[in-house]
Amino acid sequence: MNEQFDAIVIGTGQAGPSLAVRLAQSGKKTAIIERKLYGGTCVNVGCTPTKTLVASARAAHMARHAEAYGVMIDGTPRVDMARVKARMDAVVRQSSDGVRKWLHTTPGVTVIEGHARFVSNHAVIVNGATLEAPQIFINAGGRAAIPDIPGLTQAGYLTSSTILELDHLPEHLLIIGGSYIGLEFAQMYRRFGSAVTVFEAGPHLIGREDAEVSLAVQQILEGEGIRFHFNASNMRISGKGSATTLHAECDGSPVDTSGSHVLIGAGRMPNTDDLGLEQTDIVTDKRGYIVVDDRLATNVPGIYALGDVNGRGAFTHTAYNDYEILAANLLDDDTRKLSDRIPVYALYTDPPLARIGMDEKEARASGKKILKGKMMMTRVARARERGETHGFMQVLVDADTKKILGATLLGIEADEVIHLLLDVMYAGAPYTVIQRAMHIHPTVAELIPTLLGDLKPLEL
């Protein structure tokens, strides 16, 4: 006999566990299925391990530059990658074990370890058993997209997941992809001591950003010794292991670069190809993402998709917000929609890049009368005191409504300061509310009112 549940959750990423617990607390007999990693991408191979490595890389960087702060270190600081990895593993283990324990000890939640595949619209098979439920929530996550590059498979390569298994330092890391994943690892491993070369298929880094922002990030990273090649095409790889050579045409000229390791940072894809969706009526788009409406519902009644699989955000915070929207609508009688969400994200280089709402391209295309404020981080006392003055802060405002439309912050504490602007945007309040607030000195946030006091029309 098939086992019956009120609800089935597939995946224990950022949305799945909280949703399963809420469903169980509401009285629903709930199953949650996990194939391998409790906590999903973020906890195991995403935010938690990479930001732990970023912290170690920053410590190494600051140690090398300690003399500039009057701190004298005898000898050259040395990075022990085995100890770096052990620290990362400990942090990951604590988080993953926490998710595992939470789910296994929550009344009403049945935890099943195995690979779930649909056999019909409202039934999945896992470990040979068939489970049925009127409500099924897909939170299966995503994985690295691997480009079709001749010689890549034979040479061997790393992804953002498998590079975390290294306990030694690559002599020369060749990175294919100059966006979020590629750049974070580029700076990280350069600070650990590797030579790093990045190949980007587009004309500039982080292609979704304005060219001015991309150039600023590039200059910061070049200042640390990272090399970049743009408009990379016709890539192929020869050799293997430590004797690998990447051949490409970059900006119209041939480039041959030898390295010890190749890292693929060319985007991600949803884990929908092995879910058995062909046995259902669930609609996916041409890239494999499950199509959902404004409340995360698929075209099949009772089936919902959350997190990376729905293509409506590729971040931990968007996945968790998916859970919040779904729980509000299904359990709290509180109407919430995806379309109410303001885009916000960060690139965790050092300094970080934080973005909300419109960029300049979008602002110009909106037809609105736009005001722009910009301030270099060299004007921020906190940045000067810290000796970290790279970057700038920029805000876009609707001249008629005085509402903030978007912001780009590149500089120390940018990933925290951005929320000052974001919360005012959600409140629908004019920027003048921030201007009239008294902020603590010395901080980065205290300069936001000054920035907003120097708005000028955006040049078209």
Side-chain angles (χ1 to χ4, degrees):
M1 290 181 61
N2 298 346
E3 188 168 2
Q4 303 293 321
F5 289 89
D6 297 317
I8 296 172
V9 179
I10 301 174
T12 64
Q14 286 302 299
S18 295
L19 179 60
V21 170
R22 280 296 313 276
L23 290 167
Q25 290 173 341
S26 73
K28 293 181 181 291
K29 181 184 177 183
T30 303
I32 186 165
I33 305 166
E34 176 52 56
R35 177 174 58 179
K36 184 178 181 182
L37 302 174
Y38 282 85
T41 297
C42 176
V43 166
N44 294 280
V45 292
C47 311
T48 299
T50 59
K51 302 317 170 273
T52 304
L53 291 178
V54 165
S56 292
R58 177 173 169 80
H61 179 73
M62 294 304 294
R64 293 190 188 98
H65 293 82
E67 186 175 345
Y69 295 84
V71 178
M72 311 309 291
I73 298 176
D74 295 332
T76 302
R78 181 175 62 88
V79 176
D80 184 334
M81 288 303 296
R83 294 180 67 174
V84 168
K85 182 180 184 301
R87 176 177 179 271
M88 174 196 72
D89 289 341
V91 174
V92 168
R93 187 163 50 249
Q94 181 182 29
S95 297
S96 183
D97 287 350
V99 175
R100 182 196 303 266
K101 182 178 179 181
W102 181 35
L103 291 173
H104 278 276
T105 58
T106 298
V109 174
T110 298
V111 181
I112 301 170
E113 296 185 358
H115 189 128
R117 290 183 175 86
F118 281 89
V119 291
S120 66
N121 280 341
H122 290 278
V124 299
I125 187 169
V126 56
N127 301 331
T130 300
L131 317 179
E132 294 181 336
Q135 289 185 325
I136 299 180
F137 305 89
I138 306 170
N139 181 220
R143 64 186 187 276
I146 307 302
D148 184 14
I149 298 176
L152 179 63
T153 300
Q154 295 84 343
Y157 60 88
L158 300 167
T159 67
S160 58
S161 297
T162 59
I163 194 172
L164 302 176
E165 299 169 8
L166 293 183
D167 61 0
H168 61 277
L169 189 67
E171 180 180 349
H172 187 178
L173 183 61
L174 307 179
I175 300 178
I176 298 175
S179 195
Y180 305 95
I181 293 172
L183 296 184
E184 289 181 16
F185 278 105
Q187 186 182 48
M188 181 195 307
Y189 273 90
R190 180 63 190 135
R191 288 182 168 188
F192 285 146
S194 298
V196 177
T197 303
V198 178
F199 291 79
E200 166 55 38
H204 57 78
L205 300 178
I206 36 179
R208 73 163 70 177
E209 305 299 339
D210 290 320
E212 175 188 28
V213 177
S214 299
L215 180 60
V217 172
Q218 177 186 337
Q219 291 172 339
I220 290 170
L221 297 179
E222 284 179 333
E224 296 192 18
I226 298 169
R227 296 188 291 272
F228 294 97
H229 295 291
F230 297 99
N231 294 309
S233 62
N234 297 321
M235 284 185 278
R236 64 180 179 85
I237 293 177
S238 63
K240 187 176 182 180
S242 60
T244 297
T245 300
L246 196 158
H247 311 271
E249 291 182 17
C250 302
D251 290 320
S253 299
V255 173
D256 299 324
T257 306
S258 296
S260 59
H261 298 72
V262 176
L263 170 65
I264 302 299
R268 294 179 65 78
M269 60 184 292
N271 289 331
T272 56
D273 53 333
D274 58 357
L275 278 177
L277 295 183
E278 67 277 4
Q279 304 298 322
T280 74
D281 297 315
I282 297 171
V283 172
T284 59
D285 67 15
K286 62 182 180 180
R287 296 185 298 166
Y289 291 101
I290 298 173
V291 177
V292 297
D293 66 14
D294 218 14
R295 292 172 175 79
L296 286 312
T298 71
N299 62 300
V300 177
I303 309 297
Y304 302 84
L306 305 89
D308 292 359
V309 295
N310 65 26
R312 303 295 288 270
F315 304 100
T316 296
H317 53 274
T318 53
Y320 189 79
N321 187 240
D322 284 356
Y323 147 69
E324 293 178 313
I325 292 171
L326 196 54
N329 286 303
L330 294 182
L331 303 172
D332 300 330
D333 194 26
D334 179 12
T335 301
R336 292 182 63 174
K337 300 178 295 183
L338 279 174
S339 55
D340 292 333
R341 189 154 74 191
I342 298 172
V344 57
Y345 52 88
L347 164 66
Y348 287 96
T349 49
D350 182 20
L353 167 67
R355 281 267 294 108
I356 50 174
M358 294 183 178
D359 59 19
E360 284 197 25
K361 296 188 295 290
E362 293 166 330
R364 288 190 176 93
S366 70
K368 300 178 185 291
K369 184 179 178 182
I370 307 295
L371 299 176
K372 172 184 172 181
K374 183 175 181 179
M375 176 183 292
M376 304 305 294
M377 292 301 293
T378 51
R379 290 187 57 190
V380 180
R382 185 64 175 274
R384 295 197 302 271
E385 292 154 3
R386 289 258 298 263
E388 300 176 58
T389 56
H390 290 302
F392 59 87
M393 299 189 290
Q394 179 174 292
V395 180
L396 302 174
V397 170
D398 186 320
D400 295 324
T401 66
K402 299 188 186 311
K403 291 184 178 180
I404 299 169
L405 298 176
T408 301
L409 308 185
L410 173 62
I412 62 167
E413 316 296 351
D415 52 329
E416 295 288 349
V417 177
I418 199 76
H419 293 94
L420 182 158
L421 297 161
L422 178 65
D423 292 344
V424 171
M425 291 175 70
Y426 271 112
Y431 74 87
T432 51
V433 169
I434 301 178
Q435 275 190 298
R436 296 173 182 177
M438 181 179 69
H439 292 168
I440 296 170
H441 174 79
T443 61
V444 178
E446 69 170 324
L447 270 295
I448 296 294
T450 305
L451 169 62
L452 292 171
D454 192 29
L455 297 171
K456 295 179 175 60
L458 178 66
E459 296 179 4
L460 300 177

